[in-house]
Amino acid sequence: MKVEVDRSRCESHGQCALAAPEIFELHDDLELEYDPEPSEELRAAAEEAAVMCPMQAIMIDGR
Amino acid sequence: VSVAWHARGNGKKMRRRDKWLSEPVRILATMWFDPHTISFEDDPYPVYRRLRDEEPVHRYGDTEPLWVLARFDDVSAAIADWHTFSSVGSTCYRGGEIDQRQLITTDPPVHDALRRTTREHFSPKAVAALEDSIRAETASLLEAVRGTESLDVAGAFAWQLTVAVISGLLGIPESDQAPLLGWYQARTYSDDAVRAAEGQADFDRYFDELAAERLARPTDDFTGHLMRLVEAGEVDETDAIALLRDVFEGGVDVPANLIANAVLALAERPEQRAHIVQAREDTAAARLAVEELARFETPIQYIPRIATADVELHGELIPSGATVLLLLGSANHDERQFEEPELLDVTRRATRTVAFGAGVHFCIGAPLARLEARLALPELLAVLPEYDVVEPVRRPRGDPVMRALLSLEVAR
């Protein structure tokens, strides 16, 4: 699975890190770090992160 | 910009106060409560619990049915699914006018264009820059009450702090803050219809004139920023003024009630107060404490949506077009999601709550409210190592959507 965050939209609210901590981590300096190719079994969590993102900045498999 | 407006009466068209959604919730509450014991405003949680257990999809009313969702899973799924649970048409929410587009009454793409205008001033990174000024304001408010035996932690501290901070962001001069707060509180919380209408008119007029002033002479604050966008034709002026009012409302109200409710909830929990005071040196611990306090007494208790399709849930059919109230306050007390939800535990990892919503409508003020509570609460509790709440605690009866405390007297 491919995960991509549109950095121009991301505001570092950290909702993704709550929905899918295995994929997303928000550092104290508000920089977001994420795994661009997480394993397939994290798909449900990744999709929840995408839905929960206030800025709708997360794309999964290009969508 | 002048305080004299208050005396000028109101010429503006009235808001649709008759359509407030609080009434069904209040009737629902009285149906289930023994009125001789305690009111819904004082303690809504037994009603919520009964809804979650017995009627997680509750239908209220016959003519214009309204549906209420009470469980965490249902509420968070509905919040995330803005296609099915739309904000468009939910204009009856807290007196919004039908001819304005607001963040709470639009969906993408209109919503996103409005929301983008707030980014430079309200994103987590932007509000992080306010840390020093919030600390300074906190210190000055606490200095003013040093040595006093009692203190109104809501009226003389929490609301004063939040009105100062949001006014700084909007460029509202200090001399205007007290009257503006008075109009806001009258308009939102007064149970006297005349006072509420006057407050509404004065509150609206203030922002109309502030906007006009900034349109003529743009400043670097959020108001000036918005007015530049109006000038450039990127944002409609009516929408911009509505956004200013909404930002003031959320910015002053949510963190003030978060802080005041925290002081009340912590009154009989000295060990948790000590934990928060120690968290002055531990940002992560302070953040967690604020999340738990926002879960425990969620400042905005419910939000409305309009179903855009028939939705079947727990054997009930919510018809397309129905208004659906998402009970955030109930979702955040759902036993299915939180262990012992009726216990406040500031060390709990209550990171997944719906205190500030989620998805596209996630509260734009959440970063600011969280920061204010995180910085102010430890300092306030440090100067109140021991306190007793002076009874009775009165919650305003105007609108149970807000878990509000306009005053909270404590004795030390």
Side-chain angles (χ1 to χ4, degrees):
Chain A
M1 170 177 49
K2 291 228 187 314
V3 168
E4 197 182 341
V5 174
D6 181 345
R7 298 278 184 182
S8 72
R9 292 182 71 93
C10 174
E11 287 186 354
S12 300
H13 284 282
Q15 296 294 104
C16 54
L18 301 177
E22 307 87 347
I23 303 172
F24 301 95
E25 190 184 352
L26 187 67
H27 294 293
D28 272 355
D29 60 1
L30 297 175
E31 285 309 316
L32 179 71
E33 190 182 329
Y34 67 99
D35 178 356
E37 290 187 27
S39 70
E40 190 56 35
E41 65 232 41
L42 293 173
R43 181 170 292 274
E47 278 170 1
E48 192 183 346
V51 161
M52 290 300 184
C53 173
M55 306 317 296
Q56 305 287 285
I58 300 169
M59 287 198 299
I60 297 160
D61 290 336
R63 293 196 305 147
Chain B
V1 185
S2 137
V3 251
W5 292 342
H6 188 61
R8 275 200 252 140
N10 64 75
K12 203 177 160 70
K13 86 173 166 185
M14 285 289 298
R15 296 304 172 99
R16 294 157 43 113
R17 291 180 63 94
D18 55 318
K19 292 286 279 182
W20 277 19
L21 288 173
S22 48
E23 202 50 31
V25 174
R26 186 189 308 282
I27 293 165
L28 173 76
T30 53
M31 276 159 45
W32 280 359
F33 253 118
D34 176 354
H36 300 295
T37 54
I38 195 167
S39 78
F40 180 71
E41 284 90 344
D42 290 327
D43 186 4
Y45 299 107
V47 169
Y48 291 161
R49 181 173 193 156
R50 194 163 160 185
L51 279 172
R52 289 193 302 272
D53 289 346
E54 295 172 24
E55 285 183 83
V57 181
H58 175 83
R59 182 191 157 128
Y60 166 78
D62 294 319
T63 46
E64 259 186 275
L66 183 114
W67 300 77
V68 179
L69 303 189
R71 288 189 187 165
F72 182 89
D73 280 350
D74 300 333
V75 168
S76 41
I79 293 179
D81 183 2
W82 60 266
H83 292 280
T84 312
F85 293 93
S86 171
S87 294
V88 177
S90 65
T91 46
C92 38
Y93 183 54
R94 297 176 49 72
E97 271 176 3
I98 223 123
D99 57 351
Q100 309 165 333
R101 285 165 295 195
Q102 293 169 264
L103 288 170
I104 57 170
T105 60
T106 52
D107 285 327
V110 175
H111 168 275
D112 293 2
L114 274 177
R115 183 167 181 136
R116 255 195 304 280
T117 66
T118 66
R119 173 177 203 158
E120 252 176 67
H121 296 82
F122 290 92
S123 72
K125 279 179 193 165
V127 301
L130 300 175
E131 181 163 337
D132 288 348
S133 67
I134 295 171
R135 283 190 193 283
E137 189 63 41
T138 300
S140 127
L141 285 166
L142 291 177
E143 180 59 28
V145 295
R146 202 153 65 113
T148 59
E149 277 173 22
S150 70
L151 164 64
D152 178 359
V153 293
F157 180 75
W159 286 87
Q160 298 306 320
L161 173 67
T162 62
V163 77
V165 172
I166 196 65
S167 295
L169 270 165
L170 300 188
I172 294 166
E174 204 177 331
S175 55
D176 292 348
Q177 293 171 17
L180 184 57
L181 182 62
W183 301 329
Y184 172 75
Q185 289 186 337
R187 158 254 193 218
T188 311
Y189 294 112
S190 179
D191 49 14
D192 175 335
V194 175
R195 276 204 61 211
E198 283 175 2
Q200 180 78 65
D202 290 331
F203 180 76
D204 286 349
R205 189 177 303 107
Y206 184 86
F207 283 100
D208 288 345
E209 296 205 13
L210 183 70
E213 196 181 280
R214 296 303 153 80
L215 202 51
R217 281 186 302 280
T219 40
D220 284 337
D221 47 59
F222 179 65
T223 309
H225 165 71
L226 260 188
M227 290 308 132
R228 270 193 209 94
L229 295 174
V230 169
E231 187 71 31
E234 288 176 38
V235 179
D236 182 87
E237 188 176 352
T238 321
D239 296 349
I241 296 171
L243 182 57
L244 282 178
R245 290 192 195 107
D246 289 350
V247 161
F248 180 87
E249 167 165 26
V252 73
D253 204 306
V254 170
N257 285 321
L258 179 58
I259 292 167
N261 280 310
V263 175
L264 178 59
L266 290 162
E268 282 166 21
R269 293 162 172 108
E271 71 299 336
Q272 297 200 34
R273 297 205 299 266
H275 177 84
I276 292 173
V277 172
Q278 282 158 16
R280 281 196 285 187
E281 312 301 328
D282 182 349
T283 305
R287 282 205 177 103
L288 275 185
V290 168
E291 292 312 290
E292 168 66 355
L293 289 159
R295 178 197 74 80
F296 191 72
E297 292 280 30
T298 301
I300 295 180
Q301 290 278 298
Y302 59 87
I303 51 177
R305 294 289 189 265
I306 306 291
T308 58
D310 289 353
V311 177
E312 217 189 311
L313 190 59
H314 302 302
E316 300 282 340
L317 183 78
I318 303 172
S320 178
T323 294
V324 184
L325 296 190
L326 310 179
L327 293 185
L328 307 179
S330 172
N332 282 339
H333 280 245
D334 190 344
E335 311 63 16
R336 295 153 195 80
Q337 179 72 15
F338 303 100
E339 226 169 276
E340 298 195 88
E342 307 305 334
L343 280 185
L344 176 72
D345 174 5
V346 294
T347 64
R348 183 200 296 262
R349 295 195 61 83
T351 47
R352 273 203 64 194
T353 80
V354 286
F356 297 103
V360 294
H361 289 286
F362 181 75
C363 175
I364 59 159
L368 179 60
R370 285 167 163 160
L371 182 67
E372 287 179 87
R374 172 165 75 76
L375 298 176
L377 262 178
E379 300 303 327
L380 174 64
L381 295 173
V383 303
L384 289 174
E386 295 294 329
Y387 63 86
D388 293 308
V389 169
V390 179
E391 301 286 345
V393 174
R394 286 201 176 84
R395 289 190 185 271
R397 293 292 188 259
D399 191 346
V401 67
M402 306 300 296
R403 191 80 180 128
L405 284 168
L406 302 188
S407 67
L408 180 69
E409 206 66 47
V410 302
R412 53 181 166 186

